[in-house]
Amino acid sequence: GAGVSQSPSNKVTEKGKDVELRCDPISGHTALYWYRQSLGQGLEFLIYFQGNSAPDKSGLPSDRFSAERTGGSVSTLTIQRTQQEDSAVYLCASSIDRGGVQPQHFGDGTRLSIL
Amino acid sequence: DAKTTQPPSMDCAEGRAANLPCNHSTISGNEYVYWYRQIHSQGPQYIIHGLKNNETNEMASLIITEDRKSSTLILPHATLRDTAVYYCIVRGLGGGGADGLTFGKGTHLIIQP
C-alpha cells in the first residue's frame, strides 16, 4: 500500500532562499509530524498536526520555520531565509491517531542542502 | 517517556536469528515498547510494538519480560537487507504536548554474509 510520500527527495539551494517541503501522509491518518535529522544525529521534533486541532509548534527552532496542513491531508513545511545550519534531512511521519499507541510511519525524507 | 539502553552494535550471520536486547527498567504501567529501524539514507521504519504480551508480525517478534523491564526484538532469519540501526523506544499514551518520538543511539546491526 502507499506509504508516506515526501517531495522533493533532495533540495539544494542558496543561503537566504525560501524552501517548501511537501508531505503526503498515509490516507486516513489524522496525525502528522515533521522531524529534522542532522548528519549522525537523532530525530528532532518540529511540529505536530492532529485532525483539525491547532498544531503543536513547540519544536520549531525559529520563526523562519512554519508549516501548514490543508484539508487534513497534505502538509508543507516552509523555511524562510534559509541558513547553512538548516541543512538536514526533513522527515514526515503520520499516524492513525493521537495518543502514542499507534505507531508513526515515516517517509524517506527530503535531504536539504544549503550552500 | 522511560529511558532505554541498547548495545551500540551487534553482528549476526545471514540466515540466523538476530536477537536485539533493550533494557527499560523505569518503564511505567501505561508505556508501550516500540521498535523502529533506520536503513542508511531511508526514513525510520516501524517494526513492532507491545505492552506486556509477546507480539509477532511479518517482520519480527517482540518478547517482553514478565516484569517489563527488558525486551528482545527477534528477526527470525536475518538477511543482508536487515543491516540497519535498530531503535527501542518506550512511550506512554497521550502525554500532552508533542507526541514526537525520541530516538536514542540504537543498535547498529550488521548482517554478515
Side-chain angles (χ1 to χ4, degrees), chain B residues 32-33 35 46-64 72-74:
Chain B
Y32 285 70
V33 180
W35 283 85
Y46 163 75
I47 301 172
I48 198 167
H49 73 288
L51 182 61
K52 54 183 178 181
N53 297 322
N54 297 338
E55 301 288 343
T56 295
N57 63 20
E58 65 278 6
M59 288 184 68
S61 295
L62 174 60
I63 308 298
I64 302 174
T72 301
L73 178 75
I74 302 172

Side-chain angles (χ1 to χ4, degrees), chain A residues 35 37 56 99-101 104 106 108, chain B residues 34 36 38 43 93-94 97-98 101:
Chain A
Y35 295 87
Q37 190 172 37
D56 180 340
V101 177
Q104 296 178 27
F106 287 80
D108 281 337
Chain B
Y34 294 80
Y36 287 79
Q38 191 165 21
L93 297 176
L101 294 174

Side-chain angles (χ1 to χ4, degrees), chain A residues 69-88:
Chain A
R69 188 179 185 192
T70 53
S73 181
V74 171
S75 177
T76 54
L77 176 70
T78 301
I79 309 173
Q80 295 178 308
R81 305 181 302 282
T82 52
Q83 303 295 314
Q84 287 186 330
E85 60 262 28
D86 299 333
S87 296

Side-chain angles (χ1 to χ4, degrees), chain A residues 23 25 30-34 47-49 69 73 75 92-95:
Chain A
C23 172
T30 57
L32 186 147
Y33 307 77
W34 282 98
I47 190 169
Y48 160 71
F49 294 88
R69 188 179 185 192
S73 181
S75 177
C92 175
S94 70
S95 174

Side-chain angles (χ1 to χ4, degrees), chain A residues 60-66 80-81:
Chain A
L60 293 179
S62 79
D63 59 8
R64 296 186 295 105
F65 288 72
S66 63
Q80 295 178 308
R81 305 181 302 282

